[in-house]
Amino acid sequence: MELHILELFSGIGGMHYAFECSKLKGHICAAMDINTVANNVYFYNHPNTPVMNNNIQKLSVKTLQKLGVNTILMSPPCQPHTRVGQKRDVEDKRSDALNHICELLPKCTDVQYILMENVKGFEESTAREKYIEALEKSGFYFREFILTPTQIGIPNTRHRYYCIARRRKDFSFPAGKIWTCLSTESQMTYEATNLSDLLMEDTLCSEYLLDEKVLKKRVWLLDIVTRHATNTMCFTKAYTHYSEGTGSIYCPLSLDEMKTIFANLKKTEYSDNCEDAANWELLQRLRLRYFSPREVSRLMSFPETFNFPLETSNRQKYRLLGNSINVRLVGELIKIMCKE
């Protein structure tokens, strides 16, 4: 079956690339989002796809029928289900769009497939209960997952909730649980991607060096990795704006060299003497830097053809990437959802 896809909450086009990654037949009929900066990035990369700068609550069955949609790929706002967003769930106005989709689904008889991504924690929400109820009422069969890209060989942790739904019930995954793997076969393996293959040349990354304040005050709180690391932290939209808990920091030295410098910092009781000249010299030798937007996009499996318009600031790039998806992982789920 050829897929005719509507991409909702489309952002910078992660679902578009995920569909391309799946190599299934079909096309993206249209994309819809209210973020104008994200829409500009989407159109910059996919000028032949109509991008509708509309509120999702304006979506109608008539629009779906006019577009000829039989598949919906979507990533609704995660803020109603996060600690930062105060976990207000359906009471958060940002849940209104998903609630509108739940009301539409029973009327969308032409839609055969739906994939939804959200933050880990959505599975415990009232919003999830309403969504599953809408799927069942509309005649869909579904399977739920909590997955991270490290499970398919990508050196980045990004646990997310996924739900794939279709009108046929013959999934290879038994119902009644939330799956934490992509295959019912425990021996299933994926080719690993090396972090070193995703890095830019150090000479191109001087603008991403950590500033003096962060180095002196926050260095002990950072997740620092070297080129042979097998994992990195989840990159959030606050990356570089806040130094801790928003993504990993890169050190171009070998792991042994880095450990030696930190051992020397500890010997001089660095944490109690931040302004010591010897400590500052050691810190500078680490050459710690943020991952560039290009490196973050690679860790999220965006292709090399993906790019940002020239007017997009680095701050905007990090925010947009932090709100996006892992392309390759979602591509795998699309294949499972549509498997004959």
Side-chain angles (χ1 to χ4, degrees), residues 106-117:
K107 308 169 190 175
C108 300
T109 55
D110 293 334
V111 175
Q112 301 297 310
Y113 301 101
I114 306 173
L115 183 149
M116 196 258 274
E117 181 262 9

Side-chain angles (χ1 to χ4, degrees), residues 87-144:
K87 294 188 175 182
R88 297 184 64 233
D89 201 353
V90 293
E91 295 180 5
D92 192 311
K93 287 189 177 296
R94 288 168 290 193
S95 288
D96 291 350
L98 180 58
N99 186 57
H100 175 69
I101 292 169
C102 290
E103 293 173 354
L104 276 184
L105 284 181
K107 308 169 190 175
C108 300
T109 55
D110 293 334
V111 175
Q112 301 297 310
Y113 301 101
I114 306 173
L115 183 149
M116 196 258 274
E117 181 262 9
N118 213 295
V119 70
K120 186 177 184 293
F122 179 84
E123 73 279 6
E124 299 173 348
S125 68
T126 301
R128 177 262 175 192
E129 293 176 7
K130 294 183 70 173
Y131 179 64
I132 295 302
E133 181 182 342
L135 287 176
E136 292 175 331
K137 183 179 179 181
S138 307
F140 284 93
Y141 298 89
F142 64 91
R143 295 295 182 269
E144 298 172 282

Side-chain angles (χ1 to χ4, degrees), residues 100-240:
H100 175 69
I101 292 169
C102 290
E103 293 173 354
L104 276 184
L105 284 181
K107 308 169 190 175
C108 300
T109 55
D110 293 334
V111 175
Q112 301 297 310
Y113 301 101
I114 306 173
L115 183 149
M116 196 258 274
E117 181 262 9
N118 213 295
V119 70
K120 186 177 184 293
F122 179 84
E123 73 279 6
E124 299 173 348
S125 68
T126 301
R128 177 262 175 192
E129 293 176 7
K130 294 183 70 173
Y131 179 64
I132 295 302
E133 181 182 342
L135 287 176
E136 292 175 331
K137 183 179 179 181
S138 307
F140 284 93
Y141 298 89
F142 64 91
R143 295 295 182 269
E144 298 172 282
F145 302 81
I146 298 290
L147 302 170
T148 178
T150 53
Q151 294 170 300
I152 58 171
I154 298 169
N156 181 238
T157 293
R158 193 178 183 85
H159 285 96
R160 290 294 184 268
Y161 167 90
Y162 301 93
C163 180
I164 55 176
R166 68 187 185 196
R167 295 196 183 274
R168 293 181 292 108
K169 65 179 181 179
D170 53 337
F171 281 106
S172 59
F173 292 83
K177 63 176 287 187
I178 294 181
W179 287 84
T180 56
C181 59
L182 265 176
S183 173
T184 53
E185 302 176 17
S186 58
Q187 72 272 21
M188 188 76 172
T189 59
Y190 292 86
E191 184 179 352
T193 302
N194 293 321
L195 179 60
S196 58
D197 295 334
L198 306 178
L199 297 170
M200 295 172 59
E201 293 291 335
D202 288 333
T203 54
L204 302 176
C205 296
S206 58
E207 65 178 297
Y208 303 109
L209 291 171
L210 270 64
D211 62 34
E212 182 175 344
K213 181 180 178 181
V214 173
L215 281 174
K216 288 184 173 180
K217 302 297 184 182
R218 302 290 181 183
V219 71
W220 296 106
L221 304 174
L222 303 175
D223 179 68
I224 303 172
V225 298
T226 59
R227 66 185 305 104
H228 297 299
T230 57
N231 197 9
T232 52
M233 281 184 66
C234 177
F235 292 92
T236 75
K237 66 179 184 179
Y239 189 59
T240 72

Side-chain angles (χ1 to χ4, degrees), residues 68-92:
V69 171
N70 62 22
T71 304
I72 294 174
L73 306 178
M74 61 178 175
S75 183
C78 65
Q79 292 90 341
H81 315 292
T82 64
R83 178 181 56 83
V84 175
Q86 301 179 346
K87 294 188 175 182
R88 297 184 64 233
D89 201 353
V90 293
E91 295 180 5
D92 192 311

